[in-house]
Amino acid sequence: MARRLLTLLLCLATLLPCIALAQDQFKVLVVAIPNRYHHDYTVVAKPQFERMAQRHGVDLTWSWNSAPFDGDLSPYAAIVLLNTPGDELKAAQRTNFETYVRKGGGVVAVHRALIFNPPGEWPWFERLIGRTFRIHPRVQTATVRVEDASFPATFGLPARWIWTDEWYEFNAPVTRGLRTVLSVDETTYDSTRIWPGQTAKGMGAHHPVAWYHHYDGGRVFVTALGHTPALYDDPLYLEHLYGGIWWAATGKGIDAAR
């Protein structure tokens, strides 16, 4: 009896690595390069992303620098630019990234990744994001509205969501076909509350804070939410992020019935 039990345990031990490997649906690269205003968030975000990957059976690679863009990006179904703008990439890395997208790679751009400095230096990246950053007032609480309940990044969210963040303002779209996922209600915060010497006036009735589109062969999900470290402990925010990652990586999840 003991021998049979030992044999069974050995067989299971042999199978387990294969089972674990089969659960890795796809590979995701998260690039989180600390910068002047966005560095503390990484302490919270990294373990949360690792738990997210374990929960959903995703193979996650985390990078604190742009080194992965020097190598082969093709194994990744999606690349998450977590508070990491395109100006962190050097010339050859930018070319490699463009090639990755043109071959169908997915991209998720979060918060600071939406701002490129200096503006106009890499037009391809600005079109990838879809809108160019203008300014933002101080961090405030506001109401976020779900504009597209058919998109996976909204599935776990209420129709109206109380959220505290930096409310980025944007110029007119630089890319056609952007599909707004979330917007912020400007009547629920003070868009003029800003530092001395600066001016913000809001965007009006339509103020998008998350959107998606197909661009140059790839899928792109963009969310302006995600400034303060505490936000990365919020289950709803993590569901918002994973819904966008899942779609960017696979193209699946959009509810056509809605």
Side-chain angles (χ1 to χ4, degrees):
M1 184 68 180
R3 179 178 292 181
R4 288 181 181 176
L5 181 59
L6 179 60
T7 302
L8 178 61
L9 290 173
L10 289 172
C11 289
L12 287 173
T14 303
L15 288 172
L16 279 175
C18 296
I19 293 171
L21 182 62
Q23 290 177 342
D24 293 336
Q25 302 182 73
F26 48 82
K27 295 180 182 292
V28 173
L29 170 64
V30 179
V31 184
I33 302 177
N35 55 66
R36 181 179 179 186
Y37 298 108
H38 305 86
H39 46 81
D40 294 343
Y41 80 96
T42 57
V43 178
V44 183
K46 187 173 187 291
Q48 288 289 21
F49 267 77
E50 290 171 344
R51 281 190 283 270
M52 179 194 297
Q54 291 172 353
R55 184 166 59 251
H56 292 289
V58 173
D59 187 350
L60 179 74
T61 298
W62 184 280
S63 180
W64 300 110
N65 55 53
S66 64
F69 291 92
D70 292 321
D72 182 11
L73 296 174
S74 63
Y76 301 110
I79 295 175
V80 180
L81 300 175
L82 193 61
N83 281 323
T84 299
D87 48 77
E88 293 283 356
L89 305 184
K90 306 299 184 290
Q93 294 175 330
R94 295 180 184 185
T95 299
N96 202 20
F97 186 41
E98 290 182 15
T99 299
Y100 164 80
V101 171
R102 287 173 183 142
K103 290 183 177 180
V107 178
V108 174
V110 181
H111 194 60
R112 179 63 176 80
L114 282 58
I115 305 175
F116 189 92
N117 284 317
E121 184 185 85
W122 190 11
W124 181 91
F125 185 83
E126 292 179 334
R127 291 193 295 270
L128 173 92
I129 298 302
R131 292 180 169 92
T132 55
F133 171 80
R134 187 164 68 199
I135 201 167
H136 69 76
R138 292 177 182 268
V139 171
Q140 297 173 67
T141 300
T143 300
V144 172
R145 297 179 293 218
V146 171
E147 299 289 351
D148 187 349
S150 71
F151 190 73
T154 69
F155 288 174
L157 305 183
R160 294 177 71 81
W161 183 27
I162 297 174
W163 192 246
T164 303
D165 217 315
E166 282 182 335
W167 302 111
Y168 282 6
E169 296 180 15
F170 303 99
N171 299 307
V174 294
T175 308
R176 293 181 179 179
L178 303 181
R179 298 290 300 272
T180 300
V181 171
L182 299 175
S183 66
V184 61
D185 182 350
E186 289 188 354
T187 67
T188 62
Y189 74 99
D190 183 358
S191 61
T192 67
R193 185 172 179 267
I194 199 168
W195 297 266
Q198 298 185 17
T199 302
K201 58 182 180 180
M203 294 179 63
H206 180 62
H207 185 154
V209 292
W211 57 88
Y212 73 96
H213 65 132
H214 291 82
Y215 174 70
D216 206 13
R219 289 179 294 272
V220 184
F221 171 66
V222 177
T223 179
L225 308 183
H227 176 69
T228 59
L231 306 184
Y232 292 88
D233 263 334
D234 189 290
L236 287 180
Y237 180 60
L238 296 174
E239 286 191 36
H240 170 62
L241 290 181
Y242 184 70
I245 293 170
W246 179 41
W247 174 79
T250 68
K252 297 176 182 179
I254 294 179
D255 186 355
R258 286 181 176 269

